[in-house]
């Protein structure tokens, strides 16, 4: 396996930790892949796999992405038309929604139908943001991105909003935080995690390895 893994830099979050996690998996798995952090749509157009991280408010992240010349158009072409494997992380996953309802209503990319809404669990005595480790529960246990995970795999979360899928089949995994909260989504060549795989130790590295070997 060879090729370019493009991690999109649109000014949202610490991309170096994500890049280091992907580079570690490439090295440990002996994959002939190059990992590049880039804000250049032309480089993304050449990528074999695309990663969209994200930390911050939904509207700010969408605006940051839109501010990169040609980036949304390139992502749409590469992911929806050319069917390149795509991985959204945290707000990068939330941006896949139809609508984000953080500080008003904001249009997402609309690649996976659904909306991003507040966690609203304070009345249950739970803190917002949801921060820390939580156990993953597979909704689609046969999905390749979940391969090799132990039954009680835990992942690391930091978020105040949750993705509600319009179609239940698009929710690949969830956690229990005052009720089911989407942890992983996917359809076709697109996947996303609410948790941070780069901070989720063995679980996160396994998910990254699965993505890098995935042939949707």
């Amino acid at each position: 396996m060879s090729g370019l893994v493009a991690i999109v830099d649109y000014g949202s979050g610490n991309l170096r930790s994500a890049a280091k996690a992907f580079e570690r998996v490439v090295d440990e798995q002996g994959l002939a892949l190059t990992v590049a952090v880039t804000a250049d749509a032309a480089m993304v157009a050449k990528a074999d796999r695309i990663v969209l991280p994200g930390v911050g408010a939904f509207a700010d992240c969408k605006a940051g992405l839109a501010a990169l010349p040609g980036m949304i158009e390139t992502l749409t072409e590469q992911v929806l038309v050319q069917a390149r494997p795509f991985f959204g992380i945290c707000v990068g996953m939330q941006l896949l929604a139809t609508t984000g309802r953080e500080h008003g209503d904001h249009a997402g990319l609309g690649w996976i139908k659904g909306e991003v809404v507040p966690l609203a669990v304070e009345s249950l005595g739970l803190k917002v943001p949801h921060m820390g480790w939580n156990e993953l529960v597979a909704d689609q246990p046969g999905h390749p991105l979940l391969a090799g995970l132990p039954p009680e795999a835990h992942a690391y979360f930091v978020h105040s909003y949750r993705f509600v899928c319009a179609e239940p089949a698009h929710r690949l995994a969830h956690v229990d935080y005052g009720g089911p909260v989407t942890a992983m989504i996917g359809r076709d060549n697109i996947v996303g995690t609410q948790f941070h795989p780069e901070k989720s130790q063995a679980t996160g590295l396994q998910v990254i390895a699965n993505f890098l070997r995935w042939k949707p």
Side-chain angles (χ1 to χ4, degrees):
M1 178 181 293
S2 61
L4 172 65
V5 180
I7 300 179
V8 181
D9 178 4
Y10 58 107
S12 176
N14 178 14
L15 301 186
R16 189 58 203 150
S17 60
K20 286 179 66 176
F22 277 81
E23 290 165 353
R24 175 179 173 180
V25 172
V26 166
D27 182 59
E28 291 181 350
Q29 299 278 327
L31 303 175
L33 294 170
T34 300
V35 178
V37 175
T38 181
D40 182 3
M43 179 173 282
V44 173
K46 298 175 184 177
D48 300 277
R49 294 169 190 271
I50 300 168
V51 181
L52 185 69
V55 176
F58 187 101
D60 291 343
C61 289
K62 178 69 183 301
L65 195 60
L68 298 180
M71 185 60 78
I72 289 181
E73 295 81 1
T74 297
L75 288 171
T76 301
E77 168 69 20
Q78 294 305 304
V79 178
L80 299 188
V81 180
Q82 302 300 327
R84 299 283 187 262
F86 174 91
F87 189 168
I89 297 172
C90 197
V91 181
M93 180 199 87
Q94 294 181 356
L95 288 175
L96 302 179
T98 312
T99 307
R101 305 196 187 280
E102 182 175 2
H103 309 306
D105 291 350
H106 309 280
L109 294 171
W111 295 356
I112 294 184
K113 292 181 180 179
E115 58 181 1
V116 177
V117 301
L119 276 173
V121 293
E122 295 95 333
S123 64
L124 301 174
L126 297 172
K127 294 181 178 180
V128 176
H130 170 211
M131 183 180 298
W133 295 86
N134 211 317
E135 182 180 338
L136 297 177
V137 180
D139 295 298
Q140 308 293 337
H143 195 281
L145 266 288
L146 295 168
L149 294 182
E152 298 181 355
H154 282 66
Y156 188 82
F157 293 79
V158 183
H159 65 116
S160 301
Y161 290 77
R162 62 189 182 94
F163 195 120
V164 180
C165 293
E167 298 184 29
H170 292 162
R171 193 180 78 183
L172 306 183
H174 70 275
V175 297
D176 181 8
Y177 196 70
V181 173
T182 300
M184 184 182 294
I185 62 174
R187 73 168 181 87
D188 305 323
N189 56 303
I190 301 168
V191 293
T193 59
Q194 183 63 68
F195 61 87
H196 288 269
E198 75 278 11
K199 297 180 180 178
S200 296
Q201 299 179 5
T203 294
L205 294 175
Q206 181 65 54
V207 170
I208 291 171
N210 290 342
F211 172 71
L212 294 178
R213 292 185 179 278
W214 187 32
K215 296 179 180 179

